[in-house]
Amino acid sequence: LGAPDLGLLGLVASPAQLTPETVLSALDQIAAARTALGALATALASPDAPPEVAAARADAAAPLLVDAAAAPPLVRSMRLFLLKQMEALHGLSWVRSVLLKAPLADQAWVAEWRRGGDVGFARFLGHSALPRLHPLGTLPAFPKCHRAVGSFLATGDVGDLEAALVQCLESDGLLSFKGGLLSAIFHDAFLLQVLPVVEGAAVNANAAALAHWAAQGAWPPALENALTPKERQLVAVFAGPALASDALRLDPDSPPEKIIRAQLLAHLAAAALSAPQGSPLAYLRSVMLSPGELKGSWLPTMPEDMLKMAQDVMGGRWYRCENGHPFYVDLCGRPTQINRCAECGVEIGGVDHNLIKGNQDIGNVGEALYQRTVVEDRSEPDYCLRSAALEAEDKLATVRGLSPTSTRCLRYLFHAATVLGAAAGLGDSWEVDMEKVVNREFAGADVSKANLVKFLKAHYDSDWDLLKTLVDVTSDDLSALLHLALIDASSLEPDTAAGPDAGPAPLVRQDGGGAAAAAAGQAAGVVLRSASERREWERLLDRHVAPLLGGGQEALESAIARGKAQMGRGEDEGSAFECELHQRYDPSKLTTDARAKSGLNLWLYRRPFDLGHMTLALQRSARPASPFPALAHFLEHEPVLRGLAHLPDCLRFIHLLVNKLNRKLDRGAARSTTVAAVLEGLPSGERGEWEAAYRGFEAAWNGNWRFVERFECLEVPKEYAGVKMSRAQAVSFCLPSDQDEGICPLALVQHLRTEHNNMVFAVDERLLTSERSSTRHALIRGAEKGERAISSKHMTAAHAISYDLTGGLVPFFAKQCLLGNGYDFGKAEMRLLSRHLSSVPVIDLELPAFTFSHEQQGGLEPLQAKVAQEPLGRDVCESIARELSSPARAAKVLAQLEVVVDFLSATGGGVVSRLDEKVGDLLLASYVKGFLVDDEADLGRAVATSVRLKHIKALWEVLLGLTEVDPMERVDAKYRDKLAPTDDEKLGEFVASLDERQLEGLRATLRGLVTSQLVEPTISATKPLAEILGFAELEDTYLVDLQWFRSFPPSIPMACALEAYLTIEGLA
């Protein structure tokens, strides 16, 4: 990471030297220089990096940035490139502070830059760590209070201070005076903490006297009566070092972000003290000063009633099953079919608009059609958030229709008010009162008075970090936006703010401290007494927050610019230089010579591409609905979608297992047999197909099993949640059944199918709204006829959602879709559609269930416990085998035998452990006809005359041996015609032309086609076999694309597919 020897300085001085070789060398050096400067920016920004690391990086990069006399414009461009990277990491205030202290302040190039007459840089750098914005100056009474406090700090005359403040109180009014006093004390006295200490300065002594006066001084009656004791304590906090909260403890080494956040807290405190009753900020005053009054009320941004939320979004009619779980009926609102509850599985709904017995009509709306259920908001009162770490897991959390950004902003303001309240608390009274407001069922039983402030402070910090991520701005810009929101909310007129269509205004509780305050002429505490009042408060404040934080990039930049202009950010403080740092200029306006000498376009800063950031940017712009539904769905679910490429192999492996092992393996054997043992026991000719299918199954499992939580309405047992798939795993985890580990492959395939189809539905939504109607109709052709839906039995890789994220999509998004101030989402979505998604069909899942041998509702083990089993004689076994020589007939007898096993195993229930020995001597045929009353059962003469109940296990084993079916016997008769002599000859010549690898690939591929897709007559018998087989894949390549396959005889029809395979098998 050291600085390269930049020969490009000479090239700039002598452009005639440029050749292709020197240009490439210069570009290599520029790349190395950008890397070195980027490493320095990262080291400076990392709070965990040791100071010596940052110093070493600064020394390594120094040769790039000094000696501006050699090529002034070029070196300046490199310096700006370093600052651009630093600004993108932490904002302008941080850049300024870092330039003013070691290690950068000690670098020769910084001193050289300051001496070099760059006015923009000098003005940007300034001379202090004070915040560059002045939002407190927008408060009405600030100018007069500012003059009074400033005069006191200069003179120390208390009489003049009190007289000036009383005059301000009389002229500006009580509420304005409170905010003005607090803001002036913060601005003039509190911020002195961040400046270097000057020993013996009078201002230090006067500041200490001001802190004593604010907290304990004897005020004149007019001022004494103006503030309540708690309000005075809050004001006193901003007169000197805060003792109750780290958030307000500053010193000359405090990072810029902490200083601007302290300024934001002061603005919030001042705005809340000044807020009239109709302002939403008046509620935050209650949070700061009267938390005890909030007990039993509804706090903003707390979790909402999920049923109420669903009803608000979906409308319609809502009911409950007999166990209390809600369900929804759309259209007319009355049930016309019976389904199963997704939670507990009981019947829900009804027929002919009549609700079945046991189901409840929520709200008792009645039997009339097209009515709407009105659901009462039953969300919990009090403070209901979990720990900050848990709440931060859902970055896009929303409540009551607020956007994720608005939700997090309102939550930040609430927690900021709690931090202020804790700082201003009288003794520990604030913590005692606030602890009573905590709902421990949500927050946790371990939240107590001792750790409550730490708990709330963690939320305050977490909300700030998440807001920066969601809005995608630096700390400087986020503080400007929040200051602007407070200014806009403070301008609200109390009697007209809600508007003609607004709900009830937040009510004032006239008891306790509220009544006393009202009697003294003070603003009483605002309490949200109901869920509807909370909803109205959130809506009212969101009117000021959403336009600032919830717009697109241009709206965001416009709001930031408006905030900086309104809060005193002028051109004289380095705005031109900041414009360069933000690259908010058109390089083409410079002369060609100026661009060449500065190398300007070689040192532009480009945000490193991050898929997560792109996802957040799209989600921020997707209110109320995304104009790019396919891209939005893809980015949100991308980690899950990666496994969909393996769905065809996953299905194929399960089908192979069922065809091979169904009824031939009991559950115990399946649990003791590994996947490796099954694969190694295959004939060499089949192993290639099985290995490929297994690799896809393993990849799908290990990639997506962590996302699977349920199978239909059943929750996946915890003991299966962490299972990894490997060749050492028991094959029982791969065999689909409705119990035990058998639900795992079913749940996995169901999950993959659902994710696949949801992606297809999002694509259809995009295509249906496309203005390119011809493309739309071409891509969704036949949708109404169901042509875009295929059975999972016929799914191939061509039907799967497959993409290369790191080698394909991410490089394309980074190069083609990353703009200077955002992303080209349209181009990104079109890439997805055109390359990966537009022709993918919906999948109808048809998966065979696996039946274990010896098992039908319990297996042979319970039978042997009830009836002792004995072997059959060899002659009897041979007689049964001769009579039941057909596998189909043997399978039919085996199915009848399973019924017998079930009944015998259940006889006597759990009370009778062993039946009488005489039961075992009963003929099987007599039991079937006499006890099961099955007169049509055809067991065969040998079974009927020789097999007794004590021989069931022996008969079972004989029948299993007889049901070993050749997979070719399942091929439909439609594809069993003989080859014509000429076709047989041509096929032989073609096979002779193949090498061993090609022949093995052809044989395995054709076998897969015959055994999987020709068991049903779904393909025309007259189509050429070469045409159908050509679209099968061999090592990720279609056969039709392989040169050697193009000689396959085109005259062979699908009707001869089986004969063609058998011929190739014989020749092989």
Side-chain angles (χ1 to χ4, degrees):
L1 296 179
D5 181 14
L6 285 183
L8 66 115
L9 295 179
L11 296 179
V12 172
S14 303
Q17 301 176 29
L18 292 177
T19 66
E21 291 76 16
T22 58
V23 167
L24 288 175
S25 175
L27 290 176
D28 284 340
Q29 294 175 61
I30 290 170
R34 290 171 67 103
T35 300
L37 295 174
L40 173 56
T42 301
L44 292 169
S46 174
D48 301 323
E52 55 270 20
V53 173
R57 295 280 169 84
D59 292 339
L64 298 170
L65 307 173
V66 295
D67 194 18
L74 180 63
V75 173
R76 187 176 188 275
S77 293
M78 288 190 285
R79 291 171 176 175
L80 280 172
F81 177 75
L82 171 62
L83 300 192
K84 289 171 187 176
Q85 295 201 73
M86 293 167 60
E87 190 279 334
L89 292 170
H90 283 303
L92 292 171
S93 296
W94 178 78
V95 173
R96 185 180 297 109
S97 70
V98 171
L99 286 168
L100 292 171
K101 61 185 180 182
L104 292 191
D106 301 331
Q107 293 293 318
W109 64 268
V110 175
E112 181 183 78
W113 200 358
R114 298 183 72 170
R115 294 192 307 267
D118 191 326
V119 177
F121 178 66
R123 287 180 172 174
F124 164 78
L125 204 55
H127 300 287
S128 75
L130 294 174
R132 313 301 287 182
L133 295 183
H134 185 30
L136 302 178
T138 63
L139 295 169
F142 176 81
K144 295 178 182 178
C145 292
H146 167 56
R147 286 193 294 271
V149 174
S151 176
F152 175 82
L153 291 175
T155 66
D157 191 322
V158 175
D160 286 349
L161 171 67
E162 293 176 346
L165 292 179
V166 169
Q167 184 180 5
C168 176
L169 171 61
E170 294 172 349
S171 61
D172 287 51
L174 176 62
L175 292 179
S176 293
F177 168 75
K178 293 179 180 181
L181 176 61
L182 185 147
S183 60
I185 288 178
F186 172 85
H187 181 78
D188 293 305
F190 191 84
L191 288 178
L192 292 175
Q193 299 174 80
V194 305
L195 301 178
V197 176
V198 180
E199 297 295 336
V203 69
N204 296 332
N206 292 338
L210 179 66
H212 180 271
W213 173 86
Q216 303 175 32
W219 287 11
L223 298 181
E224 186 75 30
N225 295 330
L227 275 67
T228 67
K230 288 186 177 182
E231 289 173 341
R232 180 171 176 176
Q233 181 67 22
L234 181 61
V235 170
V237 164
F238 289 101
L243 300 178
S245 174
D246 177 67
L248 288 171
R249 190 174 298 119
L250 302 178
D251 57 54
D253 294 326
S254 294
E257 184 176 70
K258 188 172 184 180
I259 298 172
I260 62 177
R261 291 181 67 188
Q263 183 188 44
L264 188 58
L265 285 174
H267 191 184
L268 175 61
L273 288 183
S274 300
Q277 288 303 116
S279 167
L281 299 181
Y283 174 76
L284 299 178
R285 182 173 60 238
S286 297
V287 177
M288 289 191 299
L289 304 177
S290 307
E293 295 188 1
L294 304 181
K295 175 63 179 173
S297 68
W298 277 258
L299 277 56
T301 74
M302 296 299 113
E304 62 187 318
D305 180 358
M306 298 306 292
L307 177 60
K308 174 64 175 174
M309 178 189 70
Q311 193 273 336
D312 285 343
V313 172
M314 302 175 66
R317 290 288 296 277
W318 289 80
Y319 304 88
R320 294 187 189 276
C321 75
E322 62 185 52
N323 293 321
H325 302 126
F327 64 93
Y328 168 77
V329 177
D330 61 0
L331 299 178
C332 71
R334 294 294 293 176
T336 58
Q337 58 182 319
I338 297 176
N339 292 316
R340 294 281 178 182
C341 175
E343 295 292 331
C344 63
V346 302
E347 288 189 340
I348 58 173
V351 294
D352 298 329
H353 300 122
N354 294 315
L355 198 64
I356 62 176
K357 185 178 180 181
N359 286 194
Q360 308 163 18
D361 182 1
I362 297 178
N364 296 318
V365 178
E367 298 181 359
L369 304 182
Y370 300 102
Q371 300 300 303
R372 177 188 175 97
T373 300
V374 178
V375 177
E376 180 183 354
D377 188 345
R378 297 184 178 275
S379 54
E380 294 281 339
D382 297 331
Y383 187 94
C384 301
L385 295 181
R386 302 167 298 166
S387 69
L390 291 175
E391 292 294 340
E393 290 177 356
D394 185 4
K395 294 181 180 179
L396 302 176
T398 64
V399 292
R400 290 170 285 283
L402 297 175
S403 70
T405 305
S406 293
T407 300
R408 196 62 62 176
C409 180
L410 268 58
R411 191 170 288 175
Y412 172 77
L413 293 176
F414 173 84
H415 285 122
T418 66
V419 168
L420 286 166
L426 299 176
D428 62 355
S429 61
W430 189 91
E431 289 91 334
V432 171
D433 288 342
M434 189 65 196
E435 183 189 11
K436 299 174 182 176
V437 184
V438 175
N439 188 325
R440 298 186 184 281
E441 291 186 10
F442 291 86
D446 57 340
V447 178
S448 64
K449 183 175 72 69
N451 63 5
L452 178 60
V453 173
K454 183 178 179 181
F455 179 87
L456 296 172
K457 173 66 165 47
H459 274 283
Y460 165 76
D461 291 331
S462 175
D463 291 338
W464 174 266
D465 292 336
L466 287 171
L467 261 182
K468 285 198 299 183
T469 300
L470 289 171
V471 187
D472 191 25
V473 292
T474 62
S475 300
D476 290 316
D477 290 342
L478 180 58
S479 67
L481 291 168
L482 294 179
H483 281 304
L484 195 57
L486 291 174
I487 292 171
D488 291 349
S490 299
S491 65
L492 197 65
E493 291 295 333
D495 54 344
T496 61
D501 300 324
L507 300 182
V508 180
R509 177 173 292 175
Q510 297 291 344
D511 57 7
Q522 301 281 357
V526 173
V527 179
L528 307 177
R529 297 179 178 174
S530 66
S532 61
E533 288 180 11
R534 172 177 60 187
R535 183 185 293 262
E536 176 60 19
W537 185 90
E538 292 169 341
R539 185 199 67 80
L540 196 58
L541 192 53
D542 189 43
R543 289 173 51 198
H544 305 285
V545 169
L548 297 174
L549 304 182
Q553 188 66 28
E554 290 186 7
L556 200 62
E557 292 180 358
S558 175
I560 293 171
R562 175 168 74 90
K564 291 180 177 179
Q566 189 170 343
M567 290 178 270
R569 192 60 173 273
E571 191 70 28
D572 61 334
E573 295 195 29
S575 294
F577 189 79
E578 291 177 21
C579 183
E580 288 188 86
L581 286 182
H582 289 133
Q583 298 180 167
R584 294 173 182 156
Y585 58 89
D586 186 357
S588 66
K589 300 299 182 182
L590 299 175
T591 66
T592 303
D593 184 60
R595 289 202 306 274
K597 290 183 177 179
S598 66
L600 186 64
N601 289 327
L602 294 174
W603 300 99
L604 294 176
Y605 173 74
R606 184 184 178 104
R607 176 202 295 274
F609 179 79
D610 179 74
L611 197 66
H613 182 273
M614 182 180 182
T615 304
L616 281 175
L618 180 58
Q619 291 168 335
R620 286 198 309 270
S621 65
R623 187 183 183 192
S626 174
F628 309 102
L631 178 63
H633 185 93
F634 176 84
L635 291 178
E636 184 177 351
H637 298 86
E638 193 283 322
V640 178
L641 299 179
R642 296 175 196 175
L644 299 187
H646 306 297
L647 179 55
D649 286 335
C650 193
L651 292 166
R652 182 64 187 148
F653 185 64
I654 292 175
H655 275 284
L656 288 172
L657 285 173
V658 172
N659 291 341
K660 183 76 174 179
L661 304 176
N662 196 40
R663 298 184 185 275
K664 302 179 181 68
L665 201 66
D666 64 33
R667 192 175 296 272
R671 288 172 174 167
S672 61
T673 302
T674 64
V675 174
V678 173
L679 296 176
E680 291 167 3
L682 295 168
S684 58
E686 299 178 14
R687 192 170 299 171
E689 179 185 8
W690 278 71
E691 288 282 357
Y694 170 72
R695 286 194 296 270
F697 179 80
E698 180 184 286
W701 184 297
N702 292 334
N704 280 61
W705 182 244
R706 58 196 170 105
F707 301 114
V708 180
E709 297 179 350
R710 306 182 71 86
F711 170 60
E712 296 179 346
C713 61
L714 300 175
E715 190 170 330
V716 174
K718 293 182 179 179
E719 58 265 30
Y720 301 146
V723 172
K724 300 292 184 182
M725 183 51 58
S726 69
R727 294 170 183 268
Q729 186 59 260
V731 75
S732 59
F733 279 93
C734 310
L735 303 175
S737 66
D738 59 358
Q739 57 181 301
D740 298 335
E741 65 267 44
I743 69 170
C744 294
L746 290 176
L748 176 64
V749 171
Q750 185 184 68
H751 157 79
L752 294 173
R753 186 281 308 264
T754 300
E755 294 297 335
H756 174 102
N757 287 351
N758 287 344
M759 185 69 254
V760 174
F761 298 151
V763 170
D764 284 349
E765 179 184 350
R766 173 67 180 89
L767 297 176
L768 287 169
T769 58
S770 172
E771 294 179 0
R772 297 168 58 189
S773 59
S774 60
T775 302
R776 177 177 75 245
H777 292 313
L779 292 175
I780 62 172
R781 60 194 180 281
E784 295 181 357
K785 299 178 182 179
E787 294 178 16
R788 291 195 70 221
I790 67 164
S791 168
S792 60
K793 295 189 297 185
H794 307 306
M795 187 181 187
T796 68
H799 304 125
I801 294 174
S802 178
Y803 56 90
D804 181 359
L805 182 67
T806 56
L809 283 179
V810 166
F812 179 84
F813 290 163
K815 187 174 182 179
Q816 301 293 332
C817 306
L818 181 60
L819 307 178
N821 60 348
Y823 298 89
D824 188 338
F825 295 123
K827 181 181 287 187
E829 185 173 64
M830 187 52 63
R831 179 77 169 195
L832 275 175
L833 294 174
S834 61
R835 294 292 185 94
H836 305 288
L837 300 176
S838 61
S839 60
V840 174
V842 171
I843 302 300
D844 289 334
L845 188 59
E846 297 182 70
L847 198 65
F850 186 85
T851 301
F852 290 97
S853 66
H854 299 184
E855 186 167 329
Q856 189 78 9
Q857 298 183 10
L860 294 182
E861 290 81 2
L863 170 70
Q864 294 180 85
K866 292 288 178 74
V867 180
Q869 296 294 297
E870 298 178 5
L872 278 169
R874 181 174 180 179
D875 56 334
V876 175
C877 292
E878 292 175 351
S879 297
I880 295 173
R882 286 194 299 270
E883 186 176 4
L884 303 179
S885 58
S886 166
R889 188 176 180 192
K892 185 177 180 181
V893 175
L894 183 61
Q896 294 170 333
L897 193 59
E898 289 174 345
V899 177
V900 174
V901 170
D902 287 343
F903 273 86
L904 283 173
S905 299
T907 302
V911 177
V912 180
S913 59
R914 169 82 66 173
L915 299 177
D916 191 278
E917 293 183 3
K918 296 180 180 179
V919 173
D921 294 328
L922 185 66
L923 283 170
L924 174 62
S926 301
Y927 181 83
V928 170
K929 293 183 179 180
F931 290 88
L932 302 185
V933 196
D934 185 358
D935 295 328
E936 298 180 0
D938 181 13
L939 301 176
R941 182 174 179 279
V943 172
T945 58
S946 304
V947 176
R948 302 180 183 275
L949 296 186
K950 61 185 179 182
H951 300 136
I952 287 179
K953 181 179 179 182
L955 175 62
W956 190 287
E957 294 172 351
V958 173
L959 294 174
L960 283 179
L962 295 174
T963 54
E964 189 75 41
V965 180
D966 182 351
M968 298 304 164
E969 290 190 12
R970 301 171 58 242
V971 177
D972 192 91
K974 185 177 181 178
Y975 310 108
R976 291 175 169 272
D977 288 358
K978 295 291 184 180
L979 282 168
T982 55
D983 288 336
D984 185 69
E985 182 179 350
K986 291 177 181 178
L987 184 60
E989 294 174 354
F990 171 71
V991 171
S993 70
L994 302 179
D995 61 31
E996 183 176 350
R997 181 177 180 184
Q998 293 168 345
L999 179 58
E1000 176 58 23
L1002 174 66
R1003 188 202 64 77
T1005 306
L1006 182 54
R1007 176 185 174 87
L1009 171 71
V1010 170
T1011 58
S1012 65
Q1013 298 194 39
L1014 302 188
V1015 295
E1016 294 179 1
T1018 56
I1019 301 176
S1020 170
T1022 60
K1023 279 185 173 291
L1025 174 59
E1027 178 182 330
I1028 303 301
L1029 184 60
F1031 286 98
E1033 285 187 321
L1034 178 62
E1035 298 180 349
D1036 297 328
T1037 302
Y1038 292 116
L1039 282 180
V1040 72
D1041 294 330
L1042 297 174
Q1043 184 66 36
W1044 60 265
F1045 179 77
R1046 295 174 184 173
S1047 301
F1048 189 95
S1051 57
I1052 299 177
M1054 285 298 298
C1056 302
L1058 176 59
E1059 187 68 18
Y1061 169 75
L1062 295 176
T1063 299
I1064 293 173
E1065 183 78 13
L1067 294 173

